[in-house]
Amino acid sequence: MRVLITGGAGFIGSFLTEKLVESGFDVIVIDNLSSGDLGRLSDVIDRIRFVKDDLKNPSDPEAFQNVDTVFHLAANPEVRISVTEPRTHFDENILVTFNVLELSRKYGIKNIVYASSSTVYGDARVIPTPEDHPIQPISIYGAAKAAGEVMCGTYARLYGMNCVALRYANIVGPRLRHGVIYDLLMKLRKNPEELEVLGDGTQEKSYLYITDTINATLMAWEYAVKNSGVYVYNVGNWDLINVREIVNIIVKVSGFNPRITYRPATPDGRGWPGDVKRMLLSIDKIVREVGWKPNMSSKDAIETTAKALSQELGV
Ligand code: NAD
């Protein structure tokens, strides 16, 4: 069976690609390598078809031919940038999703798995946040992800596809090149004496390890195909961890002893305008319906990732 992964040279996409190749699928990856890196696919590059293409303006639509499922992960995942560059996020996250859905419709693709995000909820009133909580994003990134979910669901209902949107918490693991762990390690690599942290350090969020994420993605896909229809699942952890605890882990892993300063960007201590202060998703629905559950806590996921990235980055 042939599957297509957009953004397959990215952090999550490369692990998904490896897993699907190992499971015997015929895998096509489309990626423009903007934040992707073919090095992440070195173990499987001989066993996939890689198409370097920009999905803002697809030039190889036939890559969508005879595909059973599209895993749509291509996006700009930098929430912070979306606040100052809304147009970039409109193009990379909304236009790209529209183009992927149009090609999927044109080529009669039956199943879409969409990488959404916890940021669709904004500052949630209910924590842990269930899927039926109001969608009120506070970043352009979150708004773009919400728009993508609605478009995927509508295409599925209108054109007879199955669609599953996965609202990922913060996903971490080896090969990660954005987010708090990566940023802090890069700062320490540049200057081991000082560490500036965005926000007042009280921001609390839930983190999920990459292998747990890939399992959730594949299990939710199988569930949607088997049961047909449109599904939305939170994919997160049971617990959360605050930025001060993360800083302690990173400093310990690095072996440095920097002077730490916290830089709140808003009166209530956020790292940047549009930064969600507290995020913990309810995962009851995916546990109950799909039968998935996470194996690693937020803290263990952070520790394991910090060790892996410190080696990869030479910190
Ligand atoms: P990533 O940046 O590592 O991967 C995104 C990939 O998409 C990259 O390889 C990039 O080159 C590719 N891409 C971007 N624009 C493209 C375009 N116009 N055409 C073709 N390819 C393009 O990010 P990631 O962390 O692996 O995230 C994967 C998906 O999961 C994204 O949709 C992201 O928004 C979503 N997500 C990630 C997290 C997280 O914590 N990592 C959390 C929630 C949602």
Side-chain angles (χ1 to χ4, degrees):
M1 186 193 288
R2 182 172 295 167
V3 297
L4 189 156
I5 305 174
T6 72
F11 161 53
I12 300 175
S14 64
F15 283 96
L16 184 64
T17 301
E18 283 179 347
K19 185 76 185 179
L20 286 165
V21 169
E22 279 163 23
S23 308
F25 290 94
D26 176 7
V27 180
I28 302 176
V29 166
I30 302 182
D31 199 301
N32 68 352
L33 300 180
S34 52
S35 60
D37 178 358
L38 271 186
R40 288 186 175 121
L41 293 174
S42 55
D43 286 351
V44 290
I45 196 72
D46 299 343
R47 288 180 280 161
I48 63 172
R49 180 172 161 220
F50 178 75
V51 179
K52 183 168 186 276
D53 201 13
D54 190 337
L55 287 162
K56 291 196 288 298
N57 187 16
S59 64
D60 188 0
E62 275 158 32
F64 284 70
Q65 212 162 14
N66 299 323
V67 165
D68 174 83
T69 296
V70 173
F71 292 88
H72 177 38
L73 279 76
N76 185 326
E78 296 274 5
V79 186
R80 202 173 357 144
I81 288 172
S82 79
V83 178
T84 49
E85 294 177 35
R87 177 86 220 181
T88 303
H89 274 251
F90 176 83
D91 291 343
E92 297 289 348
N93 297 346
I94 297 183
L95 178 60
V96 161
T97 299
F98 171 72
N99 288 341
V100 166
L101 289 171
E102 267 299 275
L103 288 169
S104 301
R105 174 175 79 91
K106 188 170 167 201
Y107 285 98
I109 290 169
K110 282 277 159 267
N111 308 300
I112 309 279
V113 179
Y114 176 66
S116 186
S117 158
S118 64
T119 57
V120 298
Y121 297 115
D123 289 326
R125 288 194 299 270
V126 181
I127 289 194
T129 310
E131 285 85 348
D132 59 3
H133 187 281
I135 299 297
Q136 291 171 340
I138 59 167
S139 62
I140 302 298
Y141 171 81
K145 285 291 172 189
E149 271 189 25
V150 174
M151 288 292 281
C152 286
T154 307
Y155 265 74
R157 283 183 285 270
L158 192 55
Y159 302 116
M161 305 165 170
N162 302 310
C163 164
V164 58
L166 301 170
R167 293 178 182 160
Y168 292 136
N170 288 332
I171 312 303
V172 295
R175 308 178 191 161
L176 182 62
R177 291 294 180 273
H178 58 88
V180 61
I181 308 175
Y182 175 74
D183 283 352
L184 293 176
L185 284 169
M186 289 302 281
K187 282 178 181 170
L188 283 173
R189 187 166 85 168
K190 207 167 156 206
N191 181 3
E193 309 282 311
E194 297 208 16
L195 185 58
E196 185 188 282
V197 183
L198 301 180
D200 67 2
T202 65
Q203 310 100 293
E204 288 185 294
K205 297 178 195 183
S206 182
Y207 291 79
L208 188 68
Y209 197 62
I210 186 69
T211 44
D212 281 330
T213 308
I214 300 302
N215 286 340
T217 304
L218 295 176
M219 288 176 74
W221 167 47
E222 280 163 20
Y223 183 87
V225 171
K226 189 167 157 226
N227 295 287
S228 301
V230 175
Y231 299 88
V232 175
Y233 290 112
N234 288 337
V235 178
N237 222 321
W238 304 112
D239 61 347
L240 38 64
I241 180 167
N242 73 33
V243 168
R244 280 177 195 257
E245 291 171 88
I246 295 175
V247 169
N248 288 340
I249 292 170
I250 306 277
V251 167
K252 196 169 160 207
V253 165
S254 73
F256 297 131
N257 186 19
R259 193 163 58 84
I260 301 167
T261 48
Y262 288 90
R263 285 280 147 79
T266 61
D268 61 354
R270 294 166 200 258
W272 57 89
D275 180 22
V276 171
K277 192 83 197 289
R278 190 153 189 260
M279 181 271 285
L280 178 65
L281 302 175
S282 164
I283 53 172
D284 290 352
K285 189 177 169 208
I286 189 167
V287 169
R288 192 178 60 244
E289 291 183 5
V290 175
W292 169 84
K293 62 177 171 33
N295 286 315
M296 205 187 270
S297 68
S298 288
K299 184 168 180 235
D300 288 346
I302 296 278
E303 258 167 10
T304 309
T305 302
K307 284 178 191 158
L309 293 196
S310 109
Q311 286 213 332
E312 285 175 24
L313 303 169
V315 184

